[in-house]
Each structure stands twice: as C-alpha cells, then as structure tokens.
Amino acid sequence: MRKISKGYTMNQKGRFIAFEGIDGSGKSTQVKLLTQYLTSKGHKVYATFEPTDSPIGKIIRDIFNHRMEGDQKVIAALFAADRLNHLLHSEDGMIKKLNDGFTVITDRYYLSSYAYHSVHVDMDWVIQLNAQSATLLKPDLHIYIEMDPQISMNRLNAGRTHIEMYETLDNLVKVRDKYEIAIELVKNEEKIVKIDGNRSPEVIAAEIQQLLETMENEVLY
Ligand code: ADP
Ligand code: TYD
C-alpha cells in the first residue's frame, strides 16, 4: 500500500469510502469484505455502487447492452446525473445515509468517470460535469486497486458469460492510464491510497483494514 496523498475533510456523521479500479480489479470483492469487517466491529454500513439501480442507471445499462443508442458524451452526462441522484436521493441517497450515521462504501465514484470517459472525451469536461458531486461530497478515502489489465481480463473471462461494453484489453489499458492521470490531478486535494490488487482477496482486505485502523488512530474517523 502506498499512501499518495493527504488532505481530509469530514463534514458528515459517517465516513465515506470509495473503491476504484478497472473492471475486474476486485472492487466488489473488497467492498463485501470491508462491509463484513466493519459490520463485525459494530459499525452501521451502507454498501452501494455506481452505476446505481435507479432509473438513470437503467438507461446507462440499456446503452451498455445496446438496447439504446448513446453517444459517449451522453453516457458521461448520464453517469453524472446518476451520481447526483445517488448522493441526493431523499431516502437512500449517500448523504442521507451518512447523516444517519452509516459508514458508506461505494463501488465506484467520480474518479471512475474521470478515467472511463476521458478515453473518449476531454477529462476537464468530465471533471466539470462532476463538479457538483465533488463539491457536495468528497470521499474521506478513495481506495484505488491497482491491477494489470491482462490479469483483469483473465478474471473477467473466467468469471462471466458475457463481457460488458468497456471490458476489452485495449480499453482497460487506456482506462488504467487515465486513472493514473486522474489520480495525479486530484491527489493534493483528496485522500487516495493505491493498493496492489494482485494478491489474494484476504491479504488485500487485511491491508485495507490495517489502513483504516491507522487512519482511526490519526483521528481521521
Ligand atoms: P470488480 O468489482 O472490480 O469488477 P470483482 O470483485 O467482481 O471485481 O472481481 C472480478 C473477478 O475476480 C471475480 O470473479 C472475483 O471472484 C475475482 N477476484 C476478485 N478479487 C480477486 C483476487 N484478489 N484474486 C483473484 N481473483 C479475484
Ligand atoms: P461496474 O458494474 O462497476 O463494473 P465492474 O463490476 O466490472 O467494475 O461498472 C459498469 C461499467 O461502468 C464499468 O465498465 C465502468 C463503467 N463506468 C463508467 O464508465 N463511468 C462511471 O462513472 C462509472 C461509475 C462506471
């Protein structure tokens, strides 16, 4: 684990952690393991993901499944709208959950948009599209799981019957490179750690738990 940035603001009752990485990097596996761990320690945990299962997320999935046409600019804008709804929904929005004292763990947040959409459109424009979300709520911690795109592809091919729109080796290499650029851009304002994803799920989970313990001791929680 390499700590690459400091900087932290806490403006809600619960803590907010965003997992990032290319498809197949092991995010959902780690969200699950961290949820189990924090729950066992007595925390109220709300685990969530983007694209969400809201009607906006459904439009995104319909485009990914080729049931609808969608230009890359439209896709980027839909993700920004889905994210705002994910934040602001009055019942299950992340801001509401944080204010209710939940630790919120999301599988993807705005860094995903910076990385995936800047393969097709200007990253500055994507950052502008997401400026409202970034103003409303920055994660207390982004955990970026570093993963070789070829290993991700092997995992995805082994574990699934169909491969999604962005899941080609060529695209995952581009997205990985864009993640690196995006992280460089935000690392001075936001807290981001990079975790080596090419180890067993349990070893990665233990490192993340250790990281959170350390943060707790630094009065970051
Ligand atoms: P993501 O949510 O980033 O797409 P997943 O957690 O769904 O990734 O993992 C993708 C595939 O790789 C799944 O089949 C999962 O079981 C497997 N996997 C997850 N973490 C690891 C790991 N550390 N080592 C090997 N395989 C893993
Ligand atoms: P997801 O279901 O998280 O896929 P995976 O579990 O394989 O990582 O995300 C679906 C796809 O949506 C994934 O290829 C990444 C992409 N995506 C974007 O293009 N922009 C975004 O802002 C987000 C959140 C995801």
Side-chain angles (χ1 to χ4, degrees), residues 21-30 107-108 147 155-156 158-160 167 197-202 204:
I22 58 174
D23 299 77
S25 56
K27 292 179 292 20
S28 355
T29 303
Q30 292 305 322
D107 184 341
R108 299 193 178 283
M147 178 53 57
R155 286 184 184 176
L156 293 172
R160 285 193 200 161
E167 295 173 351
N198 199 16
R199 296 169 299 160
S200 75
E202 294 72 25
I204 298 168

Side-chain angles (χ1 to χ4, degrees), residues 19-20 38 53 58 67 71 79 94-95 143 162 186:
F19 276 85
E20 293 288 352
L38 291 174
D53 50 15
K58 183 178 180 312
R67 281 195 284 267
D71 181 85
F79 269 106
M94 294 194 291
I95 291 175
I143 298 176
H162 78 287
V186 302

